[in-house]
Amino acid sequence: MRTLPILIAVLLSTLSPDVLAEDASRPSGTATVPLQDLIPLYAQREAPAAPPPMEALVKSDLTGRLTAEALLVEGHFEVEVLADGRWTQVRLLQLDADTYPTRLPTLEGATVGVVDGYLCLVTRKAGRYELEVGLAVRSSAAGAERRAQLRFGAHAAPVPLTLEADTSVFTLMEPLPSSAGEGFTVYPAQGALRVGWRAAAPVARGEKVQVRPPLEPRITEASATWVSTLEGRATLRVAYTLSLDREQPLELMLPEGHALERVTLNAIPVPAEAEGGVVNLKVAPARLGETGGALEVVLTRELGVFHLSGRLKLALPRVSWPVAELRARAHFPSVFNYRREGGSLEQVDAADAPAMEAASLPGKVLHFRQYLVAASAPTLELGYSVDISQSYFR
């Protein structure tokens, strides 16, 4: 009979004080609860939180500059991590064999480093993280040319790179639009930024540098197209062929009653606004070292509903540069006959009209032309009346 207390004492001595205290504080036993009381308790239980739609959102801004053998990139990232309580890996940039990190930040609650060939932010805490990184992208050489590329990670949307390049030291191989000063914009293609350049040829000692005189900017030719519906809504598209050797200002004065729809420079849309009917632009050659560019302007206007007969007064924008030759074409409703009644544009026959881009546009086609336009807005006045040539009653 004395062995039972000794066995109980031995079992109690093997348990830690924390376990004994926890068992003593935890209630034990069973309880019977009526169903009508259990249902409200079951409804009040906490539902598991839904996972976020994505692990993180990334906003980035990249700038770069060229050296003789590499592209140096500075990146600013704003990362919003949505997942909390579990490890999240945000892949920002892909580091190829020729890409090396030169500067990595130290963050509170997160780590930035290279993981499986990617520049990543790793954390298990939700929140906003801002980081600055530096990268060196070593170029591959093909003769005198150098090429470098930087790929984006899976979580970072591709964004343009603002590139600083001294054109007296480097010649860019890609057609890059100029942003300001010596800055150029490199747009991503297929998830990567690609830059090509070569070093400018050194000038021999004692050799004089031949400086080309600045090219007087002008417009070698312009083509305009009017298209109007029977309800009187007209669209005017004007394309200018530019002759220039550097960035230059260009001013367009819109005709009265016209609204600016869009402007493209070298096939790239550019932001532009008409202030008081005047559009001020900065135009540049399509490629570095070339002397040609292209500008296209699209305008709209309400001509009013066509009547049985009437008169149309049309005009083109006034350009601050001289225009050597202007060709115009009008596509108006085919139920009318048209006759030129005035204006600076002269009508020409279709057979004598210069070749313009073929377009499957409806309506009757009229051709016009003007030479040597300077500091003026080309105008055209047309009279129209119902075409009864196909009527049985005359």
Side-chain angles (χ1 to χ4, degrees):
M1 295 296 295
R2 296 182 60 184
T3 59
L4 181 59
I6 296 175
L7 179 60
I8 294 175
V10 171
L11 292 174
L12 290 177
S13 63
T14 60
L15 298 177
S16 64
D18 294 338
V19 173
L20 293 175
E22 182 178 356
D23 292 342
S25 61
R26 182 183 302 170
S28 61
T30 60
T32 302
V33 180
L35 180 61
Q36 62 270 18
D37 295 337
L38 178 62
I39 292 176
L41 296 175
Y42 183 79
Q44 293 176 4
R45 78 191 192 284
E46 293 185 2
M54 56 192 66
E55 293 185 346
L57 296 174
V58 180
K59 179 181 178 182
S60 56
D61 182 28
L62 301 178
T63 59
R65 61 184 179 90
L66 296 178
T67 67
E69 297 181 351
L71 169 65
L72 303 182
V73 179
E74 297 289 331
H76 173 77
F77 295 90
E78 296 180 9
V79 182
E80 184 76 24
V81 178
L82 305 179
D84 194 18
R86 58 186 177 88
W87 287 108
T88 300
Q89 182 187 109
V90 184
R91 294 186 172 184
L92 304 175
L93 297 171
Q94 182 176 342
L95 304 187
D96 296 332
D98 293 326
T99 306
Y100 311 93
T102 59
R103 179 167 58 91
L104 296 177
T106 300
L107 302 178
E108 182 178 355
T111 301
V112 178
V114 180
V115 181
D116 296 332
Y118 289 88
L119 179 65
C120 299
L121 181 142
V122 181
T123 183
R124 60 177 305 170
K125 182 179 179 182
R128 180 184 295 271
Y129 301 90
E130 292 192 17
L131 54 145
E132 305 281 345
V133 300
L135 299 171
V137 185
R138 190 175 61 182
S139 63
S140 58
E145 297 182 8
R146 295 276 178 174
R147 293 191 176 273
Q149 73 172 7
L150 179 64
R151 298 183 180 274
F152 292 89
H155 300 96
V159 297
L161 168 72
T162 301
L163 178 66
E164 297 180 3
D166 188 351
T167 55
S168 64
V169 179
F170 302 104
T171 300
L172 297 177
M173 306 305 297
E174 305 291 340
L176 304 179
S178 176
S179 55
E182 295 181 349
F184 300 89
T185 303
V186 182
Y187 290 94
Q190 299 178 347
L193 294 165
R194 297 179 177 87
V195 182
W197 74 96
R198 66 167 177 259
V203 179
R205 180 174 298 179
E207 180 182 351
K208 285 188 176 182
V209 179
Q210 298 294 330
V211 179
R212 185 179 62 185
L215 182 66
E216 184 69 22
R218 63 191 182 97
I219 298 174
T220 56
E221 61 178 358
S223 60
T225 304
W226 285 286
V227 179
S228 176
T229 63
L230 193 60
E231 292 77 15
R233 179 169 178 81
T235 300
L236 171 60
R237 184 189 303 270
V238 189
Y240 301 96
T241 301
L242 309 177
S243 176
L244 72 170
D245 60 353
R246 65 198 68 191
E247 187 179 70
Q248 297 280 0
L250 176 65
E251 181 183 276
L252 294 172
M253 180 173 289
L254 306 185
E256 184 178 357
H258 287 70
L260 180 65
E261 290 293 322
R262 65 179 180 273
V263 176
T264 58
L265 176 63
N266 300 323
I268 299 175
V270 295
E273 294 183 0
E275 297 182 0
V278 178
V279 181
N280 292 298
L281 301 171
K282 292 285 189 180
V283 295
R287 299 171 183 265
L288 287 176
E290 296 186 356
T291 58
L295 176 69
E296 185 179 78
V297 181
V298 179
L299 309 175
T300 58
R301 178 194 173 189
E302 293 292 340
L303 294 174
V305 178
F306 282 79
H307 302 286
L308 295 179
S309 63
R311 200 171 186 181
L312 299 174
K313 292 185 177 181
L314 307 174
L316 295 176
R318 180 180 66 80
V319 192
S320 59
W321 294 5
V323 181
E325 180 183 0
L326 170 64
R327 299 169 294 168
R329 182 175 59 187
H331 293 258
F332 288 143
S334 57
V335 295
F336 298 102
N337 286 324
Y338 302 91
R339 61 190 179 278
R340 178 184 176 276
E341 296 185 350
S344 61
L345 289 168
E346 295 291 338
Q347 188 171 2
V348 295
D349 294 334
D352 301 331
M356 298 180 69
E357 294 182 2
S360 57
L361 297 175
K364 286 186 177 179
V365 183
L366 307 173
H367 297 274
F368 305 91
R369 182 169 56 191
Q370 183 176 348
Y371 295 101
L372 302 179
V373 183
S376 63
T379 58
L380 175 64
E381 294 185 14
L382 291 177
Y384 69 90
S385 58
V386 174
D387 183 3
I388 60 172
S389 61
Q390 303 298 326
S391 175
Y392 291 103
F393 304 99
R394 299 184 184 178

